[in-house]
Amino acid sequence: MFGWAVRFRFGGIESGLEYLERMASKGWMLESWQENTLIFHRGEPQALRFAVDIIPVGIWKLDSVEHNETVRDEYVDMYEEMGWRYVENQGRKFLFCTEDETLPLPQTDPIAYEETIYKQHKTKMYWYLALAAAGALAVSHAWHYLYLYWTSLLGNAVFGCFALLMCIGILGAWSNGTLVMKEKKALKEGRIPQIQPRERYGRMIAMCVLAMLGISCFMAPKTLGLRGVSMWGWAVCFSLQWIILNVFPWVLHRFGIMSKGRAALVSNRAANLLMTACYLFFAYGITANGHSVKMPWPENMAPLVTEVEVLGAEQDPWLLEHSYSEYHCGSAEMYEYYDASSDVSFNYKLLLCQWEPVIRSFENNPDMYGWSSYLTEDKAKAWEKCMEFLDHETLNIERGWVVRWGDAVPCRYYFEVDGAALYLQTEELTTEWVQEICRRMHQMVIDNRDSNQ
Amino acid sequence: MAREQYQTLTEQMYYILLALMEARCGVDISAKAVEISRGRIQIGPGTLYTLLGKFEEEKMISEVRVEGRKRYYQITEKGLEMLKKEYERLQLQVEEGRAYLNW
């Protein structure tokens, strides 16, 4: 019979055994124990003792459902023969109750407890620490090449997975670590630790929230479609969740729409649905980027490094103020272009870079740059315009060019050929186009040099 | 607390092995342990279940028959040997203590 649903509120009602005993003394018997919800049914007040025990890992194997059913039944039978009544279980954790005050608790041997359950908790803690360390290493590696990860769908998903693994590792190590410390203290004092159905997880939730907010701030870069939205987005989502969990039930019950218990359960489900939708929305927003972006890096380009020379930087106060690595990343090496048919060869540099510093530099020093902008969704037209520009404009080593062609997209390139600089904002740059742009720039510099002689 | 597993037995282990000198199952083991220790030792179901599993793994006890869902265990030669060792160790402790304690 459904009576009442209690939600673990943020910051935590501790799901202690004492709490269950208190509820039983008021006539509320635990019927079901789901992830975040306890469901009680109304009965007669009883003075009950509750206890939790864990089936050790070596005994409950994961390979066979039939074996697990048998183990589970034998385990429960043993308890029931000894006066404990089975209530509920979550995985290996079993909850029992009894009316007999004199019955010994499930675990009576501290040394056996230390050699089985405590050892398993310690092992679990070490595994989570290893996961956190691996996740942190992966994130720090990815951070070094962040622009590479952020400009592709796959890169975003991979970075997200790294961050998620790190967070899961940290949270798991934290919760198991605090449990292990509590157990160690009790065992040192010669006591047997009392296993709770659910450890207090208020701090865990807080850490989870902070981790998600922190990751969101970095995961929604200005280059993607969600400028500054994600942090506020998370704040709005959590506020909505709080309202749904705490205000909704009151409203639903106050206006006689449904009973208190049902209102609490419905609100809990609604909150879970909302958060699931939010996670999916943000995951889509972060990874999809509104439209697909092909990894634009030409095949023969070296991996990204940081420090690089910027043409005209010594004259630009904004650029001087900021480290190059903040807005430029690419190889400091020159690449060779060689066309056997025309016997043309030269060296060129191609980098992925941020847009804002370029624009700012351009605005601060208009004489340093020429500007050409042609925005269109038609790639063929955009390419035609770019070629037209490169045919007709003059590139020389005293002046860089800022060119935007194609749709407004996050991919920005810095070409440097024979000392002439070109900042290009575009999408889906292919190897052939890189080669063609470099070749034309080279030709323009030569023509310019010849005409000045 | 570090010790080599099962080289010395805890009180609970000792009395469980004593109770398994005859084939017994679950609750009977616990009841026998209470009887042998005259009510001093209480074995919880969790400890009992865990230790039975461990003893069976170490081949210190073996399952002798099954009646429905009840499994009957009895001590093996290896278990008997370990029990004897523990008994002798405890005897020695008492003897050595007696020399100094004059009780």
Side-chain angles (χ1 to χ4, degrees):
Chain A
M1 268 297 280
F2 189 106
W4 174 271
V6 175
R7 169 81 167 89
F8 285 110
R9 283 190 284 275
F10 183 89
I13 294 170
E14 186 168 311
S15 169
L17 298 171
E18 296 79 15
Y19 170 74
L20 296 174
E21 285 163 13
R22 207 162 56 235
M23 290 296 281
S25 69
K26 292 180 189 167
W28 290 106
M29 265 307 294
L30 183 69
E31 179 181 290
S32 152
W33 165 20
Q34 291 161 25
E35 193 52 46
N36 286 323
T37 311
L38 301 174
I39 298 185
F40 296 83
H41 71 257
R42 201 52 163 139
E44 290 300 315
Q46 296 174 74
L48 290 175
R49 283 169 72 206
F50 285 84
V52 171
D53 191 29
I54 298 176
I55 296 185
V57 166
I59 294 171
W60 184 307
K61 298 177 181 46
L62 296 176
D63 52 1
S64 152
V65 173
E66 295 80 28
H67 169 84
N68 285 343
E69 289 284 335
T70 312
V71 164
R72 186 188 172 287
D73 291 341
E74 285 173 3
Y75 179 75
V76 168
D77 281 350
M78 185 171 291
Y79 269 82
E80 295 196 337
E81 281 171 14
M82 292 174 82
W84 291 92
R85 193 168 77 235
Y86 167 76
V87 177
E88 178 64 275
N89 75 288
Q90 268 204 342
R92 293 177 188 286
K93 246 186 194 173
F94 283 72
L95 180 68
F96 298 94
C97 70
T98 182
E99 288 159 4
D100 188 346
E101 288 286 328
T102 62
L103 276 184
L105 288 172
Q107 294 288 338
T108 46
D109 187 354
I111 293 177
Y113 184 98
E114 188 183 345
E115 287 172 357
T116 53
I117 296 170
Y118 173 69
K119 196 169 153 189
Q120 284 167 19
H121 287 156
K122 249 179 37 172
T123 308
K124 226 168 145 188
M125 177 188 72
Y126 289 137
W127 273 112
Y128 274 113
L129 276 171
L131 184 66
L137 269 171
V139 165
S140 69
H141 164 84
W143 198 261
H144 190 65
Y145 300 109
L146 206 54
Y147 287 100
L148 197 64
Y149 281 81
W150 278 353
T151 53
S152 81
L153 174 66
L154 182 64
N156 270 282
V158 166
F159 185 86
C161 287
F162 289 162
L164 191 65
L165 283 175
M166 184 182 73
C167 286
I168 290 172
I170 291 171
L171 290 172
W174 176 282
S175 71
N176 282 284
T178 47
L179 178 62
V180 161
M181 276 169 50
K182 238 179 14 180
E183 285 176 326
K184 190 174 176 181
K185 184 170 177 249
L187 289 168
K188 247 188 183 158
E189 292 166 5
R191 289 184 290 114
I192 294 172
Q194 196 164 44
I195 308 168
Q196 296 290 341
R198 192 76 181 246
E199 295 297 320
R200 190 180 193 96
Y201 65 94
R203 267 170 293 183
M204 243 170 71
I205 294 274
M207 275 190 69
C208 189
V209 169
L210 284 171
M212 278 197 296
L213 282 176
I215 288 166
S216 303
C217 291
F218 293 111
M219 283 287 288
K222 290 172 249 179
T223 52
L224 300 181
L226 297 174
R227 284 171 182 260
V229 162
S230 72
M231 191 172 74
W232 293 110
W234 283 122
V236 165
C237 286
F238 279 109
S239 305
L240 274 176
Q241 191 196 28
W242 188 89
I243 291 168
I244 289 174
L245 287 173
N246 294 286
V247 175
F248 255 39
W250 180 84
V251 167
L252 291 171
H253 178 65
R254 176 79 177 78
F255 291 99
I257 299 169
M258 47 182 78
S259 69
K260 226 172 182 178
R262 178 139 281 269
L265 186 68
V266 164
S267 306
N268 183 37
R269 299 260 158 92
N272 285 337
L273 267 171
L274 168 75
M275 291 316 288
T276 306
C278 289
Y279 294 143
L280 288 172
F281 172 73
F282 281 116
Y284 172 77
I286 285 168
T287 60
N289 189 30
H291 50 262
S292 70
V293 175
K294 259 194 346 210
M295 190 59 213
W297 209 243
E299 285 159 7
N300 62 341
M301 302 308 282
L304 302 178
V305 298
T306 51
E307 298 295 324
V308 69
E309 283 295 318
V310 175
L311 186 70
E314 63 279 3
Q315 298 167 37
D316 187 312
W318 192 93
L319 290 174
L320 281 172
E321 214 177 283
H322 294 77
S323 148
Y324 296 153
S325 60
E326 279 180 38
Y327 57 87
H328 271 139
C329 50
S331 172
E333 293 172 23
M334 298 298 273
Y335 295 96
E336 195 189 348
Y337 172 98
Y338 176 66
D339 179 13
S341 58
S342 55
D343 196 28
V344 168
S345 90
F346 56 85
N347 292 327
Y348 66 93
K349 206 187 269 187
L350 172 59
L351 312 163
L352 201 60
C353 62
Q354 264 282 25
W355 192 238
E356 281 73 15
V358 173
I359 289 294
R360 221 162 304 185
S361 177
F362 173 68
E363 285 165 0
N364 292 338
N365 307 280
D367 295 334
M368 272 179 57
Y369 296 98
W371 170 266
S372 171
S373 176
Y374 184 81
L375 298 179
T376 174
E377 287 182 14
D378 184 338
K379 285 198 226 4
K381 233 185 197 133
W383 176 246
E384 190 191 303
K385 273 289 177 185
C386 179
M387 291 299 107
E388 205 181 283
F389 159 76
L390 289 171
D391 277 340
H392 293 112
E393 294 298 338
T394 305
L395 289 182
N396 57 47
I397 59 171
E398 286 152 27
R399 212 165 116 125
W401 274 92
V402 176
V403 176
R404 301 174 77 195
W405 59 276
D407 201 355
V409 289
C411 301
R412 292 97 183 185
Y413 305 94
Y414 167 71
F415 288 81
E416 194 178 298
V417 178
D418 299 328
L422 173 72
Y423 286 94
L424 178 64
Q425 181 181 16
T426 184
E427 67 171 312
E428 294 185 7
L429 200 63
T430 64
T431 309
E432 291 74 26
W433 291 357
V434 167
Q435 302 283 311
E436 184 60 25
I437 290 169
C438 291
R439 191 192 65 73
R440 286 184 189 230
M441 284 173 72
H442 170 72
Q443 191 57 51
M444 283 155 73
V445 170
I446 289 174
D447 292 344
N448 182 255
R449 207 179 287 155
D450 290 345
S451 67
N452 286 340
Q453 279 173 353
Chain B
M1 280 248 169
R3 63 178 196 108
E4 212 178 319
Q5 258 196 0
Y6 310 121
Q7 295 312 303
T8 60
L9 302 176
T10 64
E11 264 195 325
Q12 311 255 326
M13 292 175 188
Y14 182 76
Y15 282 97
I16 290 173
L17 287 175
L18 276 181
L20 288 174
M21 294 294 286
E22 285 174 20
R24 286 196 168 87
C25 74
V27 67
D28 298 335
I29 300 171
S30 177
K32 189 66 184 174
V34 169
E35 187 194 313
I36 297 171
S37 64
R38 291 174 220 162
R40 193 173 57 82
I41 299 294
Q42 300 275 350
I43 302 178
T47 297
L48 180 61
Y49 189 80
T50 305
L51 289 178
L52 286 177
K54 286 284 183 181
F55 286 155
E56 200 182 7
E57 201 180 305
E58 294 287 322
K59 296 187 178 23
M60 289 162 66
I61 64 176
S62 63
E63 187 184 288
V64 292
R65 70 175 185 273
V66 178
E67 286 174 12
R69 286 217 291 242
K70 289 192 176 187
R71 292 173 185 274
Y72 285 76
Y73 296 96
Q74 193 167 8
I75 196 167
T76 59
E77 285 298 321
K78 183 180 175 186
L80 209 54
E81 198 187 309
M82 299 216 54
L83 190 60
K84 199 170 156 218
K85 257 193 204 161
E86 182 68 15
Y87 173 80
E88 284 167 1
R89 188 183 72 86
L90 291 169
Q91 275 284 82
L92 196 61
Q93 270 185 292
V94 169
E95 293 296 328
E96 286 165 355
R98 188 175 290 153
Y100 285 90
L101 296 168
N102 297 319
W103 287 343

